Amino acid sequence: MPAQQKKIIFCIAGVLSFACALGTAAAIGTQLWVKGTILCKTGALLVNATGQELEKFIGKIQYGLFYGERVRQCGLGGRPFQFSFFPDLLKIIPASIHVSVILFCTVLIVFALVGAGFFMFNAFGSPYETLHGPIGLYLWSFIACSCGCLIMILFSSEVKIHHLSEKIANFKEGSFTFKTHSEQFANSFWIILVCSLVHFLNALLIRFAGFEFPFSKSKDSGTTTGAVDLMY
C-alpha cells in the first residue's frame, strides 16, 4: 500500500482512538449507565393494586459508576432521592466488581490515548518495527478492546446477576420493599461497546494497511521486514 494511504489510515485510527478516550471519560462521569423502574412491592400488596393502579407504585431509577437518582413511588407521589456509591453503598454492592469496572475504564482511557499517539506517530514519522510500529499498534488496540469487553462483562454481571438496581432501591428502606420492575442499559454503557468495536476496527485497519497480525507466519520466508528496516 502506498505510504500516503497508510498515513490516511493511521490518522483515521488515531482520531477514532482519541474520540474513544474522550467518550469513555465522559461516560464515567454520568449517571446514564442504567435506567429502569422500581415497584414498591409492599405498598402494592397492601392495597392489592392491579392494572393502572399499579402505576402509582412504580418509581424510576438511574445511575452510573459514582452516583445516581431514584424516585420513590408508594402511592403518595414521587419522592426523589440522590445517592452516591462512595462511600454510601459500598457495604451493600459487590464493591470489588464495581471498583474493577472503574479501574478498567481508566485503563481503557489510558491505552486509547496511547494508541492515538502512536497512530499519529506512525502516520507522520518513520518508526522501526518495534512497539513503536505495527506490533505496538496491535498491542494497544488489543488491550483497549479487551478492557472495553471486561467493563461490559463485569458491569452486566453486577447489574443482572447481583441485582444492583434492587439493592440500590432498597437502600435505607425500613418497612418498604422494592423490586426491579424493568431496567435497561443506557447511553454510557453503549459508548463502551462502541469504543470496543472501534479498537477492534483499528486492528483491522492496521492489517488493511499491509501489516501482518503478530505471530502470523509469512508465506515467503525470504521476504522479511525486520527491526533493521524502516517501515516506510
Side-chain angles (χ1 to χ4, degrees), residues 73-146:
Q73 287 272 17
C74 287
L76 298 175
R79 297 181 181 179
F81 175 75
Q82 299 279 346
F83 60 87
S84 61
F85 285 92
F86 301 95
D88 297 343
L89 297 172
L90 285 181
K91 294 182 179 180
I92 64 170
I93 67 171
S96 59
I97 297 178
H98 198 79
V99 172
S100 296
V101 171
I102 297 174
L103 177 63
F104 281 119
C105 283
T106 305
V107 175
L108 174 57
I109 294 172
V110 170
F111 280 98
L113 291 174
V114 170
F118 277 99
F119 273 117
M120 291 303 178
F121 179 64
N122 278 264
F124 298 104
S126 297
Y128 289 92
E129 288 205 34
T130 60
L131 287 180
H132 299 85
I135 295 177
L137 297 180
Y138 277 122
L139 178 62
W140 314 137
S141 298
F142 173 76
I143 293 176
C145 182
S146 299

Side-chain angles (χ1 to χ4, degrees), residues 159-172:
V159 173
K160 299 298 183 180
I161 298 177
H162 294 277
H163 307 291
L164 183 60
S165 298
E166 272 190 24
K167 290 180 178 179
I168 294 173
N170 288 287
F171 177 61
K172 289 186 176 180

Side-chain angles (χ1 to χ4, degrees), residues 197-216:
L197 294 176
V198 165
H199 289 298
F200 180 76
L201 174 62
N202 283 348
L204 296 181
L205 288 176
I206 301 169
R207 180 65 185 88
F208 182 70
F211 300 103
E212 295 287 339
F213 291 116
F215 311 115
S216 63

Side-chain angles (χ1 to χ4, degrees), residues 136-198:
L137 297 180
Y138 277 122
L139 178 62
W140 314 137
S141 298
F142 173 76
I143 293 176
C145 182
S146 299
C147 286
C149 293
L150 287 172
I151 291 168
M152 292 186 294
I153 292 171
L154 290 173
F155 190 72
S156 297
S157 68
E158 186 180 14
V159 173
K160 299 298 183 180
I161 298 177
H162 294 277
H163 307 291
L164 183 60
S165 298
E166 272 190 24
K167 290 180 178 179
I168 294 173
N170 288 287
F171 177 61
K172 289 186 176 180
E173 291 291 344
S175 56
F176 288 93
T177 302
F178 290 85
K179 184 179 180 181
T180 302
H181 186 259
S182 67
E183 64 181 359
Q184 57 275 339
F185 295 109
N187 296 343
S188 294
F189 180 85
W190 299 119
I191 287 175
I192 302 299
L193 173 61
V194 171
C195 288
S196 301
L197 294 176
V198 165

Side-chain angles (χ1 to χ4, degrees), residues 6-19 112-127 132 137 232:
K6 291 179 181 179
K7 289 184 178 181
I8 294 174
I9 289 176
F10 285 151
C11 284
I12 292 173
V15 170
L16 290 175
S17 292
F18 185 72
L113 291 174
V114 170
F118 277 99
F119 273 117
M120 291 303 178
F121 179 64
N122 278 264
F124 298 104
S126 297
H132 299 85
L137 297 180
Y232 329 115

